[in-house]
Amino acid sequence: MSVIVVGDIDVAEMEKKVIAHFSNYQNPKNERVRKVFEVPNHKETFVAVESDKEATSAQVQLVYKDYDTPKTIVTVKDFKDYLIEGLFTTMLNNRLDELKNSATPPFTYGYSYHGKTWARNKEAFQSVAMSQEDKQLAALKVLVTENERARKFGFTQGELDRSKAEFLASIEKSYNDRNKTNSDRFVSEYQSHFLDKEPAPGIEWTFNTMKQILPLIDLKDVNGLIKDFIKEDNRVIILTGPEKENLKKPSEQEVLNALKVNSDEIKPYVDEVVATSLLKNDLKPGSIVKRESDDKIGTKTLFLSNGAKVTYKNTDFKNDEVLFEAVSFGGSNLYSNEEMKKVQFANGALTEAGFSGLKLNDINKFMTGKIARVNPYISGATEGLRGNATPKDLEYLFQMTHAYFTDLNLDPKAFEGYKQKQSAFFKNLTSQPNFYFQQEFQSYLNKENPRFNGLIPDEKTWGETDYTLAYNKYKERFANAGDFEFYFVGNVDDKTMEAYATKYLASLPSSDKKEKAVDLGYRLIKGDLKKVVNKGKDPKSTVTILYYGDAVYSPKEAFAMEALAEVLTIKLIEQLRENESGVYGISARGSMNKVPNGAYNFTIGFPCGPENADKLVVSALKELQKIIDNGPEAKDLVKFKEAELLENKKNMKENNYWLSNFTKSYVNGISPEEILQNEEKINAITAKDIQEVAKKYLTKDKVIGMLMPEKI
């Protein structure tokens, strides 16, 4: 046994506790022998083709098993071999990613690696892909072809250079934050050292050694690897997928035939020229018209000449992290019902087209070795962008932001590629009982909402989807930067923020128009209702109990609703799990919203055996009723406050939490300074506050959703 403790501790005191708790344990006289199951080598190729009615996807796995047992990293040479293998994997997977991002993707995703198999004492070179259900053999052939291309021609110097840059950027980020590493990262590292003898030399040694070794690795080191990996014996191919009446399973011979490729027809990989910039147009910088500071929460705000606002907070929580979000009111609630149905499932494809005339693969190549990303979004009541970067690469984040505002590509071929991948992913998702339940339950709750179009698209929905309309609506949503507020949290400085804000944000197009969040008035169905969905053969059930409705938003009630959920969870675990042994896990969640309409939502959810579902619903509601009648027990309120105070102490030192506070404050129209009253708010909440929200909101109508097995 090994006991690993990492955190803000007194080492001597913790050592005493470990000794006190564990030193009396003795191994039994007749220890159980730990069996080691060997995986034998074999000359023939093993093929397994399996299907299942509840399978959600079609997958292909090509496995070339090693002859010998895994080698442990002990020496610096071992570490160099490990890096060579990592570079090889990265380059091969970059090629597979390019295929995935093409106009005719052969699979939804595909990747290769050398590493562990099903057994601890056997490693293998493995290529995996998820494909359309009737394209497994084609996907397998692509994997075999790309492996053969790498074996026959190797990689290019450009590919190797980019992979090295990617490795260095990743390790440098960890190194720069070495004094701010989360405790669980250390625990995981030490656990692997204990269980698998993986070395744990620390980030400083790893970073410095990588910097020395990477320049010494050349193409011949990497290109030779795959020749040892690929073999015609010790080979296993596994195909898994859905079982359908009209879907023909590939035969073993068809699988073996797919492994045969004509090497003479395979051409070398062409490493196309990498873009030189993320922007194609010259910018006309704007200016800063006003500056404000808030010393209480440590923010500075820049008012730009085009009407945009930039608020940033410099923190020392992470040395190599800057988080970003821009937000504006509007969103898809401004679309007509007909427009919404046409664009709902096309919005995700918009970024697949790239920007500035660059395809996604061009952008990915350009960004190799640089850590910055931006993702635009359009929600019901708002639109915006989210992203992150290292301080060194922050300018690229600003460039991406400018490009997403002004120069998103329109590429119907990229949309068709996206649709193929999504169709393969979604097509059989409803065969999975839990997802089918969610789809049916949400459709039931939203049956009075004309905008609800299901959780996933089917063939009919894809046929109605209008990519060009989605593109035009996106351009409309991001036409006015003056209606946005931009937030940055992390290791930023005034000079950099002002320079980038004036160049990349103040230059964005704008107008004086200010939009507001719109409440369309559509609501979930009302009543004391129950929806039972039968799906699946296994004796498993899922139960969801929902309370919801309109409410005047109150910060005090919103926090009391969260507290109610936490104290109720304590009681539900005690009663349904520990006393009744009816569930493994159970929880309650409560919240209130202000935008686009004031509303409350409270959920109790748990998996259980079908025979206990109704009985456990009664037990759960009984625990809730106790709080409604008598309020929470004092000891449970104390537990909640202790946990909440610890969580708040941790949160106040995290960039994510501060960024979320700024955007939530913007949306709810409250001061971001309220974050400073968190401790006071936690300490002030009473049992009466919790009881009152329970009485006010959870004694009305509820909806119970229940997944049950199919009736035989």
Side-chain angles (χ1 to χ4, degrees), residues 658-671:
W658 278 95
L659 182 64
S660 176
N661 175 62
F662 293 138
T663 55
K664 285 180 180 177
S665 298
Y666 168 83
V667 170
N668 290 324
I670 60 176
S671 169

Side-chain angles (χ1 to χ4, degrees), residues 362-375:
D362 300 328
I363 295 168
N364 290 340
K365 279 187 177 181
F366 177 85
M367 289 301 297
T368 301
K370 308 173 184 73
I371 299 178
R373 66 167 186 86
V374 173
N375 291 308

Side-chain angles (χ1 to χ4, degrees), residues 215-273:
L216 305 177
I217 298 173
D218 56 28
L219 277 174
K220 71 175 187 297
D221 295 322
V222 182
N223 289 341
L225 267 185
I226 196 167
K227 294 172 183 176
D228 295 328
F229 290 157
I230 303 294
K231 51 182 77 80
E232 292 192 2
D233 60 350
N234 240 22
R235 185 169 58 182
V236 179
I237 301 100
I238 302 168
L239 273 61
T240 60
E243 185 177 313
K244 288 183 175 180
E245 190 174 327
N246 298 320
L247 183 63
K248 179 179 175 292
K249 287 170 63 173
S251 68
E252 180 175 334
Q253 189 57 52
E254 286 174 322
V255 172
L256 292 172
N257 289 342
L259 297 177
K260 300 170 185 175
V261 296
N262 187 342
S263 182
D264 294 336
E265 294 179 355
I266 297 175
K267 306 299 182 189
Y269 169 80
V270 178
D271 192 9
E272 295 180 358
V273 177

Side-chain angles (χ1 to χ4, degrees), residues 569 572-574 576-577 583-588 604-607 616 620:
T569 296
L572 293 173
I573 290 172
E574 287 179 2
L576 277 72
R577 178 178 172 174
V583 298
Y584 283 113
I586 184 169
S587 65
I604 301 170
F606 55 89
L616 292 170

Side-chain angles (χ1 to χ4, degrees), residues 283-329:
L283 306 184
K284 185 180 178 181
S287 61
I288 299 167
V289 297
K290 188 171 72 168
R291 296 172 175 83
E292 286 184 355
S293 297
D294 187 330
D295 294 336
K296 289 184 179 179
I297 54 174
T299 60
K300 294 184 179 179
T301 300
L302 309 175
F303 295 79
L304 305 182
S305 52
N306 61 350
K309 279 174 63 177
V310 178
T311 297
Y312 61 95
K313 177 180 173 64
N314 179 33
T315 70
D316 59 0
F317 308 145
K318 290 279 186 180
N319 297 327
D320 222 18
E321 179 180 84
V322 181
L323 303 184
F324 154 71
E325 183 165 356
V327 62
S328 168
F329 285 121

